[in-house]
Amino acid sequence: MMLLNKHDIDEDYVDFIENEEFSGRFLSEYIADTQRVYLSDKRPWVIGYSGGKDSSAVMALVYLALLGLKPEDRHKPVFVVASDTLVETPIVVNHVNNSLEAIERGAKRDKLPITSHKVVPKTNETFWANLLGKGYPAPTRSFRWCTERMKIDPVSSFITDKVSQYDEVIVVLGSRSQESASRAQVIAKHKIDGTVLAKHTTLSNAFIYTPIDMWHVDDVWKILRLCHLKSEETPSGIRNKWFDKYELEWENPWGGKNLILWNLYKDSSGQGECPMVIDETTPSCGNSRFGCWTCTVVTKDRAMESLVQNGEEWMKPLLDLRNKLAETTIIEDKGKYRSHIRRDGRMAFKTLTIDGKKEMTEGYTYGPYLLSFRQQFLKELLETQKQLSEVSKEIELITVPELHAVRHEWLNDPNEPDWEDTLPKIFNEVFGFDLDWSVDDTNQFSHEEAVLLNEISPKYAVAPQMIKKLIDLETSLSGLSRRTGIFNKIGRLVQQDWESAEEIIEKNLESRQNQMRQSKEVISIAEELEQLNKLLEKEGL
């Protein structure tokens, strides 16, 4: 099947499209396949666009396919959706924003049914709302809490909205089997027999289409750069080499060249990229220039280190902040940064299975970041934002809505309520002015009351945090005609582990010793009863 509408295709593309091979097939064949899938039904397309090489390649393929159709055949919408976690690498944010604008401009010019969209996480689910607000520890391989909240949920909400509008949608991804074997296996597992589509792993009425699934990385760069792939003899054999001659670069079908994109990948570790995340099977974006600058899933962010070394020195403060977060994940240092109490108010003891029974040990898992650490890190984050603005880098590292969300979490923290309302003070200390802080968010107590409680509580052998939470509870329920369940709420607060880690461990040991002592007494009594039963049986009673 040839292109149906050649006059809409730039002449520079035509020969390339019809004669250039991509993994053993001509590009024209891939375009024809894409056209067939597009024309086969009325389901709209959602293209997952991260701005990286693979999603840019699939975007170019789809754009060329639509250009090759007659205007009357471009019958259904194509939504290009990019996910912004609000902690993306800044230079990538600019690249993605510019690319989305260029795609939409080109689509309007060429009368294509393409629109671009950005999705972001809910304010209370952003990276800083969770890490600085709730005290969630920096993500690790074993606790990657960020992906679902910041990437999967926003994209899923967009897809779900389109499903409710159109009944079914097709999600077009730039996934390649060579790039991610595990991702390829998942898609293959959900493949629908007799079609090129796969079922979405979690969303009903959403289907996956991966038109460049079999492409090699050279094929990707070939459609993005065309004229600079040359074969050269090297000591390791014949190798393809790319040359940076911007004037020879061909343009994207929507306009704009890809040397900027190429430079983002130059010298990066393995040219890794963060794909559009649609479910939990998508691999981690660690070491990727198209991931989050705050990512601590990997030990070192070699991609950001490479950017700093290759001319982006202004990003060094971001790398320093990221490394500080990474230090808090070191096992032996966790106690410096994190509470021994979890957000449910209890210390979580580790257990061992002995003779089929779980036995508590003296070890425990750490809870959220201490409020003192969160306060200090927020100050450094704001100072870095101010520092970048002074070198003409107007980057919002944390948004104003996020600051309000963090403040709300601090004021209502389950373990360390911030009676002093320190966030507005930290902001003013850094920037020298105040935001419009909502009076409704502030509590009725201040530094003076907090100091007084801290002084008085030890005299009565109670934790000041517990008294603060009890007062907060009373305040929240005051004025209500019915205060249902107040005693249960008070009981739960009083029963939380408010003591120090050492005191709780000692109390736990005493409790276990008492249990063991009681168990021995029960066993002894049971043995005596058994002896008495035997004597009674002998006597015939």
Side-chain angles (χ1 to χ4, degrees), residues 86-88 90 128 293 381 385 388 393-403:
L86 303 180
V87 283
E88 302 292 323
W128 298 125
W293 69 265
L381 182 68
Q385 182 167 308
L388 293 178
K393 299 292 182 183
E394 296 298 331
I395 298 169
E396 198 173 28
L397 298 181
I398 181 169
T399 66
V400 172
E402 285 180 290
L403 287 170

Side-chain angles (χ1 to χ4, degrees), residues 436-459:
D436 185 17
W437 303 111
S438 172
V439 175
D440 293 338
D441 280 350
T442 59
N443 55 30
Q444 301 178 35
F445 304 99
S446 64
H447 174 71
E448 288 73 20
E449 283 89 354
V451 170
L452 183 61
L453 271 182
N454 290 338
E455 290 176 354
I456 295 175
S457 298
K459 297 178 182 178

Side-chain angles (χ1 to χ4, degrees), residues 346 349 360 494-515:
R346 310 294 299 188
F349 284 94
M360 284 193 296
V494 172
Q495 290 171 20
Q496 288 181 199
D497 292 326
W498 296 107
E499 302 94 333
S500 68
E502 293 74 20
E503 291 172 325
I504 296 170
I505 290 172
E506 185 178 348
K507 185 171 68 174
N508 178 61
L509 286 174
E510 288 179 1
S511 175
R512 284 164 57 195
Q513 289 169 353
N514 288 335
Q515 288 175 0

Side-chain angles (χ1 to χ4, degrees), residues 309-325:
Q309 292 167 5
N310 286 280
E312 304 291 345
E313 293 90 352
W314 64 271
M315 290 182 62
K316 180 65 164 55
L318 299 185
L319 180 61
D320 292 340
L321 282 175
R322 180 262 166 207
N323 290 339
K324 283 186 179 180
L325 278 183

Side-chain angles (χ1 to χ4, degrees), residues 14 48 56 64 73 84 94 97 102 115 120 140 189 198 204 266 269 314-315 317 322 327 375 378 400 414 536:
V14 175
S56 296
L64 287 171
D73 289 330
D84 184 357
N94 292 335
N97 289 341
T115 54
V120 297
T140 61
K189 180 181 177 183
S204 58
K266 254 193 338 184
S269 52
W314 64 271
M315 290 182 62
R322 180 262 166 207
E327 288 174 5
Q375 291 166 333
L378 174 64
V400 172
L536 291 171

Side-chain angles (χ1 to χ4, degrees), residues 153-183:
D153 288 348
V155 174
S156 295
S157 294
F158 184 91
I159 295 172
T160 302
D161 178 63
K162 297 307 173 189
V163 167
S164 65
Q165 186 177 354
Y166 295 97
D167 294 329
E168 292 184 342
V169 300
I170 294 175
V171 181
V172 186
L173 299 177
S175 299
R176 294 184 298 112
S177 297
Q178 185 198 56
E179 188 82 2
S180 173
S182 60
R183 181 72 190 146

Side-chain angles (χ1 to χ4, degrees), residues 62-102:
V62 172
Y63 200 101
L64 287 171
L66 291 177
L67 270 180
L69 295 175
K70 294 177 181 178
E72 58 268 25
D73 289 330
R74 301 164 185 165
H75 65 288
K76 63 186 184 184
V78 175
F79 306 102
V80 182
V81 58
S83 176
D84 184 357
T85 62
L86 303 180
V87 283
E88 302 292 323
T89 305
I91 59 173
V92 172
V93 173
N94 292 335
H95 164 69
V96 171
N97 289 341
N98 293 336
S99 298
L100 290 176
E101 290 173 6

